[in-house]
Amino acid sequence: MIYLDHLASTPLDPLVLEAMLPWMRPEAVGNPHAAHPAGWRAADAIEQARAEVAALVGARPGEVVFTSGATEANALALLGGVPPDGACIVSAVEHASVLGCLPELRRRGHPVAVMPVDGTGRVDPAGLERHLSSLGKPALVSAMAANNEVGTIQPLAELAAVAARHGATIHSDAVQALGTLALDMPALGLQGLSLSGHKLYGPMGIGALVVRPPFRPVPASPGGAAGGSAGGGQQRGLRGGTLPTPLCVGLGVACRLALERREEDARRIAGLHDRLWRRLHELLGDRLPGLRRNGAADGLAGCLNVTFPGIDAADRLLDLPELAASTGSACHSAAGEPSHVLLALGLSAADAHASLRFGLGRGTTAEEVDAAAALLAAALPAALPGH
């Protein structure tokens, strides 16, 4: 199988697995919150992991709160982080785990606003300025660093500067960005940031919310529902529950490797990204005059979203079991609904249904890119009008 779905999940890096295995053996028993040598050893390993996560985003180790993944981290940031008398502002192209918090915030009486984006998927900082100026109350702003469907990179520094002028807190879902983009929270002016292990060649089931003062969300319950009890009080009372030592260690190593390899990965993946688009255009441009890329030209390396006019993208993928790509976010691809991201960019429902997302990663090769383009070119004629 040609795996071009790295935006949904990345393969576990062998070095990450190697670091995790010792903590999965029987002799590694020890609750990291226990007051004896076995617990202290596990706690030391977790603190090392916390430092590695913090280093990736320019934060301090004590600002890292381990979670079960980015979905929980986003929920903690939004459901626990909106000021008691404040509002929440998000972009129209946020991940479902962010947009899914809005009904609960409305139920609690918080004003909620969804900011529109331009045809590439960017939020206009001037639009945020106008909205915050008219709001007249504290707010939490959440804008993803890079979109998970079209790769558009948000102007986080500009958005954060606008938020700061109005005393608003700004959080970013940075899940897709950290493998190839440098994100320094203090330099950007971010107070909150969510990340996920399995988008960084780390393990599934682990993520983190990084919180910088003065941002301090209301603690989550052990089950992850923000606004509940802090459980046993672990992680400075921000999130209860016993930490999984192997997963925390894996996330830490994945973050360290991402920091070490980021520039090389970004350069190589960007070249493969351009190669795939070039090959698709060479093979299909004449037959599909409307063939086009979605999102910004200077978007995230490795995220290529392409509209193939006149086809049903999901049906084409079913016809190509040797190719792993997607029609959008893995959280919504099975629902059969057109992508809310592509609709926000101005695409019709038909064109959204005719779009495929290719996620290239650290292990992708030029040969795989060429083979994927050839497979699609061979499979498309049956789907085109007149065939």
Side-chain angles (χ1 to χ4, degrees), residues 152-320:
T152 298
I153 298 168
Q154 295 295 348
L156 284 183
E158 295 175 60
L159 296 174
V162 171
R165 283 198 293 272
H166 294 272
T169 299
I170 185 162
H171 159 266
S172 184
D173 175 351
V175 164
Q176 300 292 358
L178 291 171
T180 53
L181 283 184
L183 293 181
D184 184 281
M185 291 182 69
L188 290 169
L190 296 176
Q191 286 86 51
L193 181 145
S194 300
L195 59 90
S196 179
H198 76 107
K199 304 300 178 80
L200 285 168
Y201 307 91
M204 290 185 177
I206 185 75
L209 176 66
V210 187
V211 288
R212 299 184 60 244
F215 186 41
R216 185 178 172 85
V218 174
S221 71
S229 162
Q234 295 91 342
Q235 300 199 81
R236 307 185 323 282
L238 283 174
R239 198 247 189 196
T242 301
L243 287 173
T245 306
L247 296 181
C248 293
V249 168
L251 177 60
V253 174
C255 288
R256 175 170 57 79
L257 294 174
L259 186 60
E260 293 171 357
R261 299 176 180 177
R262 185 171 56 209
E263 291 184 12
E264 177 187 347
D265 283 350
R267 183 170 53 251
R268 199 182 70 81
I269 293 170
L272 293 172
H273 176 130
D274 292 343
R275 182 186 184 107
L276 178 57
W277 170 241
R278 193 166 57 246
R279 291 295 292 145
L280 288 171
H281 199 270
E282 289 169 357
L283 294 170
L284 292 165
D286 290 341
R287 280 187 284 154
L288 292 174
L291 185 75
R292 67 177 181 276
R293 290 188 288 185
N294 299 309
D298 59 349
L300 188 70
C303 181
L304 178 63
N305 191 297
V306 179
T307 297
F308 301 85
I311 75 158
D312 186 307
D315 283 351
R316 290 306 94 200
L317 285 180
L318 289 175
D319 291 339
L320 294 171

Side-chain angles (χ1 to χ4, degrees), residues 3-53:
Y3 189 77
L4 298 184
D5 204 19
H6 288 80
L7 297 160
S9 193
T10 53
L12 191 67
D13 189 285
L15 292 178
V16 173
L17 178 60
E18 181 181 326
M20 292 172 62
L21 284 175
W23 294 100
M24 301 171 76
R25 296 188 179 119
E27 61 269 24
V29 64
N31 187 317
H33 311 288
H36 52 63
W40 297 332
R41 284 193 294 272
D44 287 345
I46 286 175
E47 289 312 302
Q48 173 63 31
R50 206 183 294 275
E52 290 169 326
V53 174

Side-chain angles (χ1 to χ4, degrees), residues 7-103:
L7 297 160
S9 193
T10 53
L12 191 67
D13 189 285
L15 292 178
V16 173
L17 178 60
E18 181 181 326
M20 292 172 62
L21 284 175
W23 294 100
M24 301 171 76
R25 296 188 179 119
E27 61 269 24
V29 64
N31 187 317
H33 311 288
H36 52 63
W40 297 332
R41 284 193 294 272
D44 287 345
I46 286 175
E47 289 312 302
Q48 173 63 31
R50 206 183 294 275
E52 290 169 326
V53 174
L56 182 61
V57 296
R60 297 174 178 170
E63 296 168 343
V64 175
V65 180
F66 288 112
T67 65
S68 62
T71 292
E72 184 192 341
N74 286 337
L76 176 56
L78 270 72
L79 298 180
V82 175
D85 59 342
C88 182
I89 304 171
V90 305
S91 85
V93 294
E94 294 300 309
H95 188 268
S97 61
V98 168
L99 297 177
C101 294
L102 303 188

